[in-house]
Amino acid sequence: MYKWILPSLSEILAENQSSVAECSPAKAERQWRVSLAATEHLLLNTLAAASRDTTQGLVLAAPAPLFSQPKLTQSLQTVTFTAKPFNPLALMPFQMPDAIASVNEEIAPHESVLPLLPADPLGTEQFCLVFTDKFRLVLVLETHKNGKKTFSFSFEPEVVQQAWRSLGARVMLANPEFFARLDALVQKYSPVAPDCRIMVQFSQLLLQELTEAEETKDSLLGTGDKEDKENNSCPIPKAQSPNPDVELLQAFAHEVRTPLTTIRTMTRLLLKRRDLDASVIHRLKIIDHECTEQIDRMELLFKAAELETTASAKSSKAQLTPMSLDQVLQQSIPRWEQAAHRRNLTLNVVLPQQLPTVVSNPMMLDQVLTGLIENFTRSLPAGSHIQVQVIPAGDQLKLQLSPQFGCKDSSKATIPATPPIRKALGQLLMFQPETGTISLNIAATKHLFQAIGGKLIVRQRPHYGEVLTIFLPLEVSSKQKSGVKC
């Protein structure tokens, strides 16, 4: 009987650690997420400021890319391993099977996707290997046959090196030439013991993330230290699942986002080829756009689920900074117009001559606004017109979305606009039967805008339909500049 001889990464860590306890899937996944968040912050803090073309590290991950911060994607080379590789022949039926080899030859090290064999035990693991000049790190989340999960990590240079040797052996079997290039990249970052300050910094970040996770749990359960002490004589049984809707939505968003990310990565690699027909390039661009749109939607759903906790909302508000709304709108408006055009709608944006500086979350504002307009366009009938108006309103900036349903005939009575039919799906989602669209409900959407320092007001007006108004706070200096000079 065939037996897999290459060890998995979890086996390597288990051999080098005194004990690795199995636990519930939810607890192990929480440890994985918290450690990834701490790793992301550690990388952001330790990577030097450099140009986009400067590579400062290597990340080997499965089953999908793990870091989305622009600074990290520009500074780190990433190789993603997946047990369900995307088949390039599905988009290139006119090419011979050796096209797969040529695709692999053109894969740049910073955006590679490599397959795992179906029998490989790594197919049941999520892992992340980080190589930089400052430290090496391996994190592994293993799923056992009994449904339990185990999370483990190590900064030990020898453990990370063993993990790479096991992973590299798999690459060498599938693609020896690519292994040579990848091994050279790994060896570029020498396996030295990490500075004690790196370890302390990671521990502090880990404790910070764990504290927020515990605050999240307490806020959802409605219990705290004071209540526990007062009720120790008759403890209240805690619910096994704090909020099933939140956990279900997070799992759903993750399961959809992971394969879409792999498809988009492979699509962008194919677009780098110079021997593709124009019609194939056009179809690949459509696939890339659709994947990006759905990935953004899933990230928004995931963020909304996180914000259903007091700790997460507090963390998001801590990231509010003064930012240029003009720059965001220049990037966003073409996408809004494209979304309206795809649904046979027209969109007009009215802006003031000069946009003041607002205080918000730069990473989330564009995503939240685009998600809101996407949902808004889905609720309107074809032929409608949307007006987006941005005007100052005291110490805030007002952004209003209002629909217009074609030209009005003055000789006939105006028919009131009919609001779209919406059905609730749990506490966070709603479903529109006419379009088959699932989106965040109004309460969850308002919560998102609160997290980025804004406010969303939804009004149903006769003859106009649903009107959405967003308020964003202005920077103090911007308000002072608009005042009267002495």
Side-chain angles (χ1 to χ4, degrees):
M1 184 175 179
Y2 174 77
K3 183 180 179 181
W4 193 272
I5 59 174
L6 291 174
S8 67
L9 303 194
S10 59
E11 291 173 340
I12 292 172
L13 267 70
E15 290 176 0
N16 289 275
Q17 295 180 349
S18 57
S19 63
V20 179
E22 293 183 9
C23 57
S24 67
K27 183 176 181 180
E29 287 172 1
R30 185 159 54 248
Q31 293 171 348
W32 164 258
R33 290 196 300 268
V34 165
S35 299
L36 279 181
T39 303
E40 185 173 50
H41 282 100
L42 183 64
L43 285 168
L44 290 170
N45 294 342
T46 56
L47 293 181
S51 64
R52 292 187 177 185
D53 297 331
T54 303
T55 302
Q56 301 183 60
L58 172 67
V59 175
L60 310 179
L66 300 172
F67 305 125
S68 58
Q69 290 276 2
K71 180 181 177 181
L72 298 186
T73 56
Q74 293 165 8
S75 303
L76 299 174
Q77 297 172 321
T78 301
V79 179
T80 304
F81 294 81
T82 175
K84 297 179 180 179
F86 183 70
N87 180 11
L89 293 181
L91 295 175
M92 296 187 297
F94 53 88
Q95 299 244 7
M96 297 298 291
D98 59 2
I100 298 177
S102 60
V103 169
N104 286 335
E105 287 300 321
E106 293 188 7
I107 291 179
H110 63 282
E111 52 184 7
S112 303
V113 176
L114 296 179
L116 294 172
L117 295 177
D120 195 333
L122 280 188
T124 64
E125 296 184 353
Q126 293 176 251
F127 60 82
C128 176
L129 275 74
V130 179
F131 301 88
T132 71
D133 290 332
K134 302 291 180 62
F135 67 92
R136 286 181 164 200
L137 171 63
V138 55
L139 306 97
V140 182
L141 177 65
E142 179 188 13
T143 302
H144 301 275
K145 292 181 180 179
N146 61 3
K148 298 289 186 179
K149 293 191 176 184
T150 301
F151 170 72
S152 51
F153 72 93
S154 177
F155 278 94
E156 186 64 35
E158 180 55 32
V159 176
V160 180
Q161 187 66 15
Q162 288 180 32
W164 158 240
R165 283 198 293 264
S166 178
L167 198 56
R170 291 164 165 88
V171 180
M172 184 162 54
L173 289 173
N175 192 329
E177 293 184 7
F178 186 74
F179 166 77
R181 299 200 299 269
L182 193 57
D183 187 56
L185 289 173
V186 171
Q187 302 310 322
K188 176 181 176 183
Y189 305 102
S190 57
V192 296
D195 191 297
C196 62
R197 289 172 294 184
I198 295 289
M199 303 294 293
V200 170
Q201 192 174 356
F202 181 79
S203 300
Q204 291 172 339
L205 291 168
L206 199 59
L207 285 172
Q208 179 182 337
E209 296 291 337
L210 283 170
T211 302
E212 290 184 0
E214 288 302 317
E215 289 176 359
T216 295
K217 182 178 178 182
D218 290 341
S219 66
L220 284 172
L221 291 172
T223 58
D225 294 339
K226 183 178 180 180
E227 287 81 355
D228 291 339
K229 291 176 182 177
E230 292 177 351
N231 297 294
N232 57 7
S233 59
C234 183
I236 300 174
K238 297 183 179 181
Q240 185 175 5
S241 179
N243 193 330
D245 282 347
V246 171
E247 292 183 353
L248 179 62
L249 182 55
Q250 288 178 328
F252 170 74
H254 173 75
E255 289 299 318
V256 173
R257 184 173 50 180
T258 298
L260 286 177
T261 302
T262 302
I263 293 171
R264 184 177 65 175
T265 302
M266 292 302 299
T267 301
R268 291 180 175 177
L269 293 177
L270 290 172
L271 283 170
K272 292 178 178 290
R273 294 174 60 92
R274 299 179 181 179
D275 58 345
L276 296 180
D277 185 76
S279 60
V280 175
I281 293 175
H282 175 69
R283 294 189 183 100
L284 288 174
K285 288 182 177 179
I286 292 176
I287 293 172
D288 178 81
H289 174 80
E290 291 296 331
C291 286
T292 299
E293 183 177 300
Q294 296 306 318
I295 290 169
D296 290 344
R297 285 186 69 228
M298 291 303 107
E299 288 181 353
L300 208 56
L301 295 181
F302 194 90
K303 190 64 180 177
E306 285 186 329
L307 291 176
E308 287 306 301
T309 67
T310 305
S312 296
K314 204 180 296 182
S315 175
S316 296
K317 286 194 173 183
Q319 301 173 11
L320 303 183
T321 58
M323 56 174 293
S324 169
L325 186 62
D326 184 42
Q327 184 177 357
V328 172
L329 292 179
Q330 285 181 5
Q331 297 173 355
S332 302
I333 290 175
R335 294 201 301 271
W336 300 351
E337 291 174 339
Q338 190 177 14
H341 179 72
R342 287 202 310 272
R343 295 176 176 86
N344 196 22
L345 308 172
T346 56
L347 182 140
N348 181 41
V349 182
V350 180
L351 301 176
Q353 291 185 351
Q354 185 174 5
L355 283 167
T357 302
V358 298
V359 178
S360 187
N361 185 318
M363 299 299 295
M364 285 183 62
L365 179 59
D366 173 46
Q367 196 174 16
V368 174
L369 283 176
T370 299
L372 182 70
I373 290 181
E374 280 282 346
N375 292 334
F376 192 68
T377 58
R378 292 173 186 269
S379 65
L380 299 177
S384 302
H385 176 75
I386 304 170
Q387 176 154 309
V388 182
Q389 189 173 20
V390 182
I391 56 174
D395 60 351
Q396 300 178 98
L397 195 67
K398 175 180 172 182
L399 190 152
Q400 190 171 75
L401 283 75
S402 52
Q404 298 175 8
F405 304 98
C407 299
K408 298 178 181 178
D409 190 344
S410 57
S411 63
K412 298 180 181 179
T414 307
I415 302 174
T418 304
I421 300 172
R422 296 187 176 110
K423 296 183 178 181
L425 289 179
Q427 298 180 9
L428 299 174
L429 301 178
M430 62 183 181
F431 173 65
Q432 294 184 31
E434 298 128 328
T435 60
T437 302
I438 296 176
S439 59
L440 291 173
N441 60 27
I442 298 299
T445 306
K446 287 183 176 181
H447 203 175
L448 274 176
F449 276 97
Q450 290 174 4
I452 61 173
K455 182 179 180 181
L456 170 66
I457 297 175
V458 182
R459 289 193 176 94
Q460 189 68 37
R461 295 181 179 175
H463 317 307
Y464 286 94
E466 204 170 59
V467 177
L468 309 183
T469 307
I470 299 110
F471 291 96
L472 295 170
L474 298 179
E475 186 190 14
V476 175
S477 59
S478 297
K479 292 184 286 186
Q480 291 174 345
K481 289 178 184 177
S482 60
V484 178
K485 294 182 180 179
C486 298

PDB file of all heavy atoms in Angstrom, residues 79-109:
ATOM      1  N   VAL A  79       4.283  32.734  -2.769  1.00  0.00           N
ATOM      2  CA  VAL A  79       4.008  31.483  -3.483  1.00  0.00           C
ATOM      3  C   VAL A  79       2.866  30.796  -2.741  1.00  0.00           C
ATOM      4  O   VAL A  79       2.948  30.561  -1.538  1.00  0.00           O
ATOM      5  CB  VAL A  79       5.246  30.564  -3.523  1.00  0.00           C
ATOM      6  CG1 VAL A  79       4.902  29.267  -4.252  1.00  0.00           C
ATOM      7  CG2 VAL A  79       6.410  31.262  -4.215  1.00  0.00           C
ATOM      8  N   THR A  80       1.809  30.494  -3.463  1.00  0.00           N
ATOM      9  CA  THR A  80       0.624  29.882  -2.868  1.00  0.00           C
ATOM     10  C   THR A  80       0.518  28.429  -3.314  1.00  0.00           C
ATOM     11  O   THR A  80       0.618  28.133  -4.506  1.00  0.00           O
ATOM     12  CB  THR A  80      -0.649  30.648  -3.286  1.00  0.00           C
ATOM     13  OG1 THR A  80      -0.509  32.026  -2.921  1.00  0.00           O
ATOM     14  CG2 THR A  80      -1.873  30.074  -2.603  1.00  0.00           C
ATOM     15  N   PHE A  81       0.313  27.539  -2.353  1.00  0.00           N
ATOM     16  CA  PHE A  81       0.140  26.118  -2.636  1.00  0.00           C
ATOM     17  C   PHE A  81      -1.337  25.759  -2.468  1.00  0.00           C
ATOM     18  O   PHE A  81      -1.966  26.158  -1.487  1.00  0.00           O
ATOM     19  CB  PHE A  81       0.981  25.271  -1.680  1.00  0.00           C
ATOM     20  CG  PHE A  81       2.461  25.451  -1.872  1.00  0.00           C
ATOM     21  CD1 PHE A  81       3.114  26.543  -1.317  1.00  0.00           C
ATOM     22  CD2 PHE A  81       3.203  24.533  -2.608  1.00  0.00           C
ATOM     23  CE1 PHE A  81       4.482  26.725  -1.488  1.00  0.00           C
ATOM     24  CE2 PHE A  81       4.566  24.705  -2.783  1.00  0.00           C
ATOM     25  CZ  PHE A  81       5.201  25.800  -2.228  1.00  0.00           C
ATOM     26  N   THR A  82      -1.873  25.009  -3.409  1.00  0.00           N
ATOM     27  CA  THR A  82      -3.273  24.633  -3.340  1.00  0.00           C
ATOM     28  C   THR A  82      -3.465  23.191  -3.793  1.00  0.00           C
ATOM     29  O   THR A  82      -2.788  22.724  -4.709  1.00  0.00           O
ATOM     30  CB  THR A  82      -4.150  25.571  -4.199  1.00  0.00           C
ATOM     31  OG1 THR A  82      -5.494  25.086  -4.191  1.00  0.00           O
ATOM     32  CG2 THR A  82      -3.648  25.646  -5.621  1.00  0.00           C
ATOM     33  N   ALA A  83      -4.382  22.492  -3.137  1.00  0.00           N
ATOM     34  CA  ALA A  83      -4.690  21.112  -3.518  1.00  0.00           C
ATOM     35  C   ALA A  83      -5.659  21.055  -4.684  1.00  0.00           C
ATOM     36  O   ALA A  83      -5.884  20.001  -5.259  1.00  0.00           O
ATOM     37  CB  ALA A  83      -5.283  20.364  -2.322  1.00  0.00           C
ATOM     38  N   LYS A  84      -6.239  22.227  -5.036  1.00  0.00           N
ATOM     39  CA  LYS A  84      -7.180  22.297  -6.155  1.00  0.00           C
ATOM     40  C   LYS A  84      -6.700  23.352  -7.138  1.00  0.00           C
ATOM     41  O   LYS A  84      -7.242  24.442  -7.209  1.00  0.00           O
ATOM     42  CB  LYS A  84      -8.586  22.631  -5.661  1.00  0.00           C
ATOM     43  CG  LYS A  84      -9.167  21.569  -4.740  1.00  0.00           C
ATOM     44  CD  LYS A  84     -10.548  21.964  -4.260  1.00  0.00           C
ATOM     45  CE  LYS A  84     -11.128  20.904  -3.339  1.00  0.00           C
ATOM     46  NZ  LYS A  84     -12.469  21.276  -2.834  1.00  0.00           N
ATOM     47  N   PRO A  85      -5.650  23.083  -7.875  1.00  0.00           N
ATOM     48  CA  PRO A  85      -5.079  24.070  -8.786  1.00  0.00           C
ATOM     49  C   PRO A  85      -6.037  24.409  -9.908  1.00  0.00           C
ATOM     50  O   PRO A  85      -6.821  23.579 -10.335  1.00  0.00           O
ATOM     51  CB  PRO A  85      -3.818  23.383  -9.336  1.00  0.00           C
ATOM     52  CG  PRO A  85      -4.114  21.928  -9.206  1.00  0.00           C
ATOM     53  CD  PRO A  85      -4.938  21.789  -7.967  1.00  0.00           C
ATOM     54  N   PHE A  86      -5.937  25.658 -10.354  1.00  0.00           N
ATOM     55  CA  PHE A  86      -6.752  26.104 -11.484  1.00  0.00           C
ATOM     56  C   PHE A  86      -6.174  25.559 -12.786  1.00  0.00           C
ATOM     57  O   PHE A  86      -4.966  25.561 -12.991  1.00  0.00           O
ATOM     58  CB  PHE A  86      -6.747  27.639 -11.508  1.00  0.00           C
ATOM     59  CG  PHE A  86      -7.607  28.223 -12.577  1.00  0.00           C
ATOM     60  CD1 PHE A  86      -8.986  28.127 -12.486  1.00  0.00           C
ATOM     61  CD2 PHE A  86      -7.047  28.846 -13.673  1.00  0.00           C
ATOM     62  CE1 PHE A  86      -9.778  28.669 -13.467  1.00  0.00           C
ATOM     63  CE2 PHE A  86      -7.830  29.381 -14.658  1.00  0.00           C
ATOM     64  CZ  PHE A  86      -9.195  29.296 -14.551  1.00  0.00           C
ATOM     65  N   ASN A  87      -7.024  25.045 -13.644  1.00  0.00           N
ATOM     66  CA  ASN A  87      -6.592  24.429 -14.895  1.00  0.00           C
ATOM     67  C   ASN A  87      -6.526  25.471 -16.003  1.00  0.00           C
ATOM     68  O   ASN A  87      -7.555  25.949 -16.473  1.00  0.00           O
ATOM     69  CB  ASN A  87      -7.577  23.319 -15.287  1.00  0.00           C
ATOM     70  CG  ASN A  87      -7.165  22.633 -16.589  1.00  0.00           C
ATOM     71  OD1 ASN A  87      -6.067  22.840 -17.087  1.00  0.00           O
ATOM     72  ND2 ASN A  87      -8.057  21.831 -17.128  1.00  0.00           N
ATOM     73  N   PRO A  88      -5.347  25.865 -16.444  1.00  0.00           N
ATOM     74  CA  PRO A  88      -5.263  26.889 -17.483  1.00  0.00           C
ATOM     75  C   PRO A  88      -5.871  26.444 -18.795  1.00  0.00           C
ATOM     76  O   PRO A  88      -6.267  27.265 -19.609  1.00  0.00           O
ATOM     77  CB  PRO A  88      -3.748  27.146 -17.616  1.00  0.00           C
ATOM     78  CG  PRO A  88      -3.077  26.014 -16.942  1.00  0.00           C
ATOM     79  CD  PRO A  88      -4.026  25.407 -15.996  1.00  0.00           C
ATOM     80  N   LEU A  89      -5.975  25.130 -19.049  1.00  0.00           N
ATOM     81  CA  LEU A  89      -6.551  24.667 -20.310  1.00  0.00           C
ATOM     82  C   LEU A  89      -8.036  24.977 -20.397  1.00  0.00           C
ATOM     83  O   LEU A  89      -8.615  24.986 -21.482  1.00  0.00           O
ATOM     84  CB  LEU A  89      -6.326  23.159 -20.467  1.00  0.00           C
ATOM     85  CG  LEU A  89      -4.865  22.733 -20.649  1.00  0.00           C
ATOM     86  CD1 LEU A  89      -4.788  21.235 -20.811  1.00  0.00           C
ATOM     87  CD2 LEU A  89      -4.255  23.426 -21.844  1.00  0.00           C
ATOM     88  N   ALA A  90      -8.674  25.219 -19.234  1.00  0.00           N
ATOM     89  CA  ALA A  90     -10.093  25.561 -19.269  1.00  0.00           C
ATOM     90  C   ALA A  90     -10.321  26.885 -19.974  1.00  0.00           C
ATOM     91  O   ALA A  90     -11.388  27.132 -20.526  1.00  0.00           O
ATOM     92  CB  ALA A  90     -10.637  25.640 -17.837  1.00  0.00           C
ATOM     93  N   LEU A  91      -9.299  27.734 -19.976  1.00  0.00           N
ATOM     94  CA  LEU A  91      -9.418  29.011 -20.663  1.00  0.00           C
ATOM     95  C   LEU A  91      -8.647  29.026 -21.974  1.00  0.00           C
ATOM     96  O   LEU A  91      -8.732  29.984 -22.725  1.00  0.00           O
ATOM     97  CB  LEU A  91      -8.890  30.146 -19.759  1.00  0.00           C
ATOM     98  CG  LEU A  91      -9.696  30.380 -18.484  1.00  0.00           C
ATOM     99  CD1 LEU A  91      -9.013  31.431 -17.633  1.00  0.00           C
ATOM    100  CD2 LEU A  91     -11.109  30.790 -18.820  1.00  0.00           C
ATOM    101  N   MET A  92      -7.869  27.979 -22.253  1.00  0.00           N
ATOM    102  CA  MET A  92      -7.081  27.915 -23.474  1.00  0.00           C
ATOM    103  C   MET A  92      -7.288  26.563 -24.161  1.00  0.00           C
ATOM    104  O   MET A  92      -6.368  25.758 -24.269  1.00  0.00           O
ATOM    105  CB  MET A  92      -5.596  28.130 -23.164  1.00  0.00           C
ATOM    106  CG  MET A  92      -5.285  29.505 -22.607  1.00  0.00           C
ATOM    107  SD  MET A  92      -3.508  29.770 -22.455  1.00  0.00           S
ATOM    108  CE  MET A  92      -3.074  28.504 -21.267  1.00  0.00           C
ATOM    109  N   PRO A  93      -8.515  26.263 -24.606  1.00  0.00           N
ATOM    110  CA  PRO A  93      -8.771  24.949 -25.190  1.00  0.00           C
ATOM    111  C   PRO A  93      -8.032  24.712 -26.491  1.00  0.00           C
ATOM    112  O   PRO A  93      -7.869  23.572 -26.906  1.00  0.00           O
ATOM    113  CB  PRO A  93     -10.295  24.985 -25.415  1.00  0.00           C
ATOM    114  CG  PRO A  93     -10.624  26.430 -25.513  1.00  0.00           C
ATOM    115  CD  PRO A  93      -9.685  27.126 -24.601  1.00  0.00           C
ATOM    116  N   PHE A  94      -7.557  25.782 -27.112  1.00  0.00           N
ATOM    117  CA  PHE A  94      -6.875  25.620 -28.390  1.00  0.00           C
ATOM    118  C   PHE A  94      -5.400  25.281 -28.219  1.00  0.00           C
ATOM    119  O   PHE A  94      -4.708  25.053 -29.199  1.00  0.00           O
ATOM    120  CB  PHE A  94      -7.011  26.921 -29.207  1.00  0.00           C
ATOM    121  CG  PHE A  94      -6.572  28.139 -28.445  1.00  0.00           C
ATOM    122  CD1 PHE A  94      -5.255  28.542 -28.462  1.00  0.00           C
ATOM    123  CD2 PHE A  94      -7.493  28.864 -27.705  1.00  0.00           C
ATOM    124  CE1 PHE A  94      -4.851  29.669 -27.765  1.00  0.00           C
ATOM    125  CE2 PHE A  94      -7.094  29.998 -27.006  1.00  0.00           C
ATOM    126  CZ  PHE A  94      -5.787  30.396 -27.036  1.00  0.00           C
ATOM    127  N   GLN A  95      -4.909  25.278 -26.964  1.00  0.00           N
ATOM    128  CA  GLN A  95      -3.493  25.024 -26.722  1.00  0.00           C
ATOM    129  C   GLN A  95      -3.260  23.555 -26.368  1.00  0.00           C
ATOM    130  O   GLN A  95      -4.134  22.870 -25.846  1.00  0.00           O
ATOM    131  CB  GLN A  95      -2.997  25.898 -25.558  1.00  0.00           C
ATOM    132  CG  GLN A  95      -3.147  27.384 -25.851  1.00  0.00           C
ATOM    133  CD  GLN A  95      -1.813  28.072 -25.914  1.00  0.00           C
ATOM    134  OE1 GLN A  95      -0.782  27.411 -25.867  1.00  0.00           O
ATOM    135  NE2 GLN A  95      -1.806  29.376 -26.035  1.00  0.00           N
ATOM    136  N   MET A  96      -2.100  23.071 -26.608  1.00  0.00           N
ATOM    137  CA  MET A  96      -1.730  21.702 -26.281  1.00  0.00           C
ATOM    138  C   MET A  96      -1.453  21.601 -24.767  1.00  0.00           C
ATOM    139  O   MET A  96      -1.180  22.597 -24.113  1.00  0.00           O
ATOM    140  CB  MET A  96      -0.481  21.291 -27.068  1.00  0.00           C
ATOM    141  CG  MET A  96      -0.706  21.283 -28.571  1.00  0.00           C
ATOM    142  SD  MET A  96      -1.962  20.082 -29.050  1.00  0.00           S
ATOM    143  CE  MET A  96      -1.084  18.554 -28.708  1.00  0.00           C
ATOM    144  N   PRO A  97      -1.479  20.396 -24.211  1.00  0.00           N
ATOM    145  CA  PRO A  97      -1.243  20.232 -22.779  1.00  0.00           C
ATOM    146  C   PRO A  97       0.077  20.793 -22.282  1.00  0.00           C
ATOM    147  O   PRO A  97       0.196  21.130 -21.118  1.00  0.00           O
ATOM    148  CB  PRO A  97      -1.295  18.714 -22.585  1.00  0.00           C
ATOM    149  CG  PRO A  97      -2.201  18.239 -23.683  1.00  0.00           C
ATOM    150  CD  PRO A  97      -1.907  19.139 -24.855  1.00  0.00           C
ATOM    151  N   ASP A  98       1.069  20.895 -23.161  1.00  0.00           N
ATOM    152  CA  ASP A  98       2.345  21.439 -22.675  1.00  0.00           C
ATOM    153  C   ASP A  98       2.239  22.927 -22.364  1.00  0.00           C
ATOM    154  O   ASP A  98       3.191  23.545 -21.899  1.00  0.00           O
ATOM    155  CB  ASP A  98       3.473  21.197 -23.686  1.00  0.00           C
ATOM    156  CG  ASP A  98       3.176  21.823 -25.048  1.00  0.00           C
ATOM    157  OD1 ASP A  98       2.122  22.469 -25.189  1.00  0.00           O
ATOM    158  OD2 ASP A  98       4.005  21.650 -25.956  1.00  0.00           O
ATOM    159  N   ALA A  99       1.040  23.497 -22.610  1.00  0.00           N
ATOM    160  CA  ALA A  99       0.845  24.905 -22.237  1.00  0.00           C
ATOM    161  C   ALA A  99       0.992  25.097 -20.733  1.00  0.00           C
ATOM    162  O   ALA A  99       1.389  26.160 -20.266  1.00  0.00           O
ATOM    163  CB  ALA A  99      -0.548  25.382 -22.667  1.00  0.00           C
ATOM    164  N   ILE A 100       0.645  24.044 -19.963  1.00  0.00           N
ATOM    165  CA  ILE A 100       0.767  24.158 -18.516  1.00  0.00           C
ATOM    166  C   ILE A 100       2.215  24.427 -18.122  1.00  0.00           C
ATOM    167  O   ILE A 100       2.512  25.265 -17.283  1.00  0.00           O
ATOM    168  CB  ILE A 100       0.258  22.863 -17.843  1.00  0.00           C
ATOM    169  CG1 ILE A 100      -1.227  22.675 -18.165  1.00  0.00           C
ATOM    170  CG2 ILE A 100       0.488  22.886 -16.346  1.00  0.00           C
ATOM    171  CD1 ILE A 100      -1.812  21.397 -17.610  1.00  0.00           C
ATOM    172  N   ALA A 101       3.128  23.715 -18.741  1.00  0.00           N
ATOM    173  CA  ALA A 101       4.546  23.898 -18.418  1.00  0.00           C
ATOM    174  C   ALA A 101       5.000  25.311 -18.744  1.00  0.00           C
ATOM    175  O   ALA A 101       5.737  25.925 -17.981  1.00  0.00           O
ATOM    176  CB  ALA A 101       5.394  22.878 -19.181  1.00  0.00           C
ATOM    177  N   SER A 102       4.526  25.832 -19.885  1.00  0.00           N
ATOM    178  CA  SER A 102       4.951  27.180 -20.262  1.00  0.00           C
ATOM    179  C   SER A 102       4.373  28.217 -19.327  1.00  0.00           C
ATOM    180  O   SER A 102       4.991  29.248 -19.065  1.00  0.00           O
ATOM    181  CB  SER A 102       4.538  27.482 -21.711  1.00  0.00           C
ATOM    182  OG  SER A 102       3.141  27.394 -21.866  1.00  0.00           O
ATOM    183  N   VAL A 103       3.152  27.970 -18.796  1.00  0.00           N
ATOM    184  CA  VAL A 103       2.599  28.896 -17.818  1.00  0.00           C
ATOM    185  C   VAL A 103       3.469  28.928 -16.572  1.00  0.00           C
ATOM    186  O   VAL A 103       3.801  29.984 -16.052  1.00  0.00           O
ATOM    187  CB  VAL A 103       1.139  28.475 -17.455  1.00  0.00           C
ATOM    188  CG1 VAL A 103       0.656  29.267 -16.242  1.00  0.00           C
ATOM    189  CG2 VAL A 103       0.216  28.713 -18.635  1.00  0.00           C
ATOM    190  N   ASN A 104       3.887  27.725 -16.115  1.00  0.00           N
ATOM    191  CA  ASN A 104       4.745  27.670 -14.934  1.00  0.00           C
ATOM    192  C   ASN A 104       6.065  28.386 -15.161  1.00  0.00           C
ATOM    193  O   ASN A 104       6.624  28.989 -14.270  1.00  0.00           O
ATOM    194  CB  ASN A 104       5.017  26.207 -14.544  1.00  0.00           C
ATOM    195  CG  ASN A 104       3.809  25.574 -13.899  1.00  0.00           C
ATOM    196  OD1 ASN A 104       2.980  26.270 -13.329  1.00  0.00           O
ATOM    197  ND2 ASN A 104       3.697  24.259 -13.998  1.00  0.00           N
ATOM    198  N   GLU A 105       6.581  28.307 -16.385  1.00  0.00           N
ATOM    199  CA  GLU A 105       7.850  28.963 -16.692  1.00  0.00           C
ATOM    200  C   GLU A 105       7.731  30.468 -16.563  1.00  0.00           C
ATOM    201  O   GLU A 105       8.692  31.154 -16.242  1.00  0.00           O
ATOM    202  CB  GLU A 105       8.286  28.599 -18.120  1.00  0.00           C
ATOM    203  CG  GLU A 105       8.783  27.180 -18.263  1.00  0.00           C
ATOM    204  CD  GLU A 105       9.985  26.895 -17.388  1.00  0.00           C
ATOM    205  OE1 GLU A 105      10.838  27.783 -17.266  1.00  0.00           O
ATOM    206  OE2 GLU A 105      10.058  25.807 -16.823  1.00  0.00           O
ATOM    207  N   GLU A 106       6.530  31.009 -16.849  1.00  0.00           N
ATOM    208  CA  GLU A 106       6.374  32.456 -16.829  1.00  0.00           C
ATOM    209  C   GLU A 106       5.946  32.981 -15.469  1.00  0.00           C
ATOM    210  O   GLU A 106       5.784  34.165 -15.278  1.00  0.00           O
ATOM    211  CB  GLU A 106       5.337  32.880 -17.884  1.00  0.00           C
ATOM    212  CG  GLU A 106       5.816  32.633 -19.300  1.00  0.00           C
ATOM    213  CD  GLU A 106       4.867  33.227 -20.332  1.00  0.00           C
ATOM    214  OE1 GLU A 106       3.929  33.928 -19.937  1.00  0.00           O
ATOM    215  OE2 GLU A 106       5.074  32.997 -21.519  1.00  0.00           O
ATOM    216  N   ILE A 107       5.691  32.073 -14.511  1.00  0.00           N
ATOM    217  CA  ILE A 107       5.241  32.518 -13.211  1.00  0.00           C
ATOM    218  C   ILE A 107       6.363  33.283 -12.517  1.00  0.00           C
ATOM    219  O   ILE A 107       7.458  32.783 -12.356  1.00  0.00           O
ATOM    220  CB  ILE A 107       4.808  31.328 -12.335  1.00  0.00           C
ATOM    221  CG1 ILE A 107       3.525  30.725 -12.904  1.00  0.00           C
ATOM    222  CG2 ILE A 107       4.620  31.733 -10.894  1.00  0.00           C
ATOM    223  CD1 ILE A 107       3.024  29.528 -12.144  1.00  0.00           C
ATOM    224  N   ALA A 108       6.036  34.501 -12.108  1.00  0.00           N
ATOM    225  CA  ALA A 108       7.008  35.288 -11.355  1.00  0.00           C
ATOM    226  C   ALA A 108       7.001  34.811  -9.914  1.00  0.00           C
ATOM    227  O   ALA A 108       5.958  34.469  -9.373  1.00  0.00           O
ATOM    228  CB  ALA A 108       6.639  36.768 -11.428  1.00  0.00           C
ATOM    229  N   PRO A 109       8.160  34.772  -9.240  1.00  0.00           N
ATOM    230  CA  PRO A 109       8.210  34.240  -7.878  1.00  0.00           C
ATOM    231  C   PRO A 109       7.280  34.959  -6.913  1.00  0.00           C
ATOM    232  O   PRO A 109       6.831  34.371  -5.955  1.00  0.00           O
ATOM    233  CB  PRO A 109       9.681  34.452  -7.489  1.00  0.00           C
ATOM    234  CG  PRO A 109      10.421  34.465  -8.782  1.00  0.00           C
ATOM    235  CD  PRO A 109       9.484  35.094  -9.777  1.00  0.00           C
TER     236      PRO A 109
END
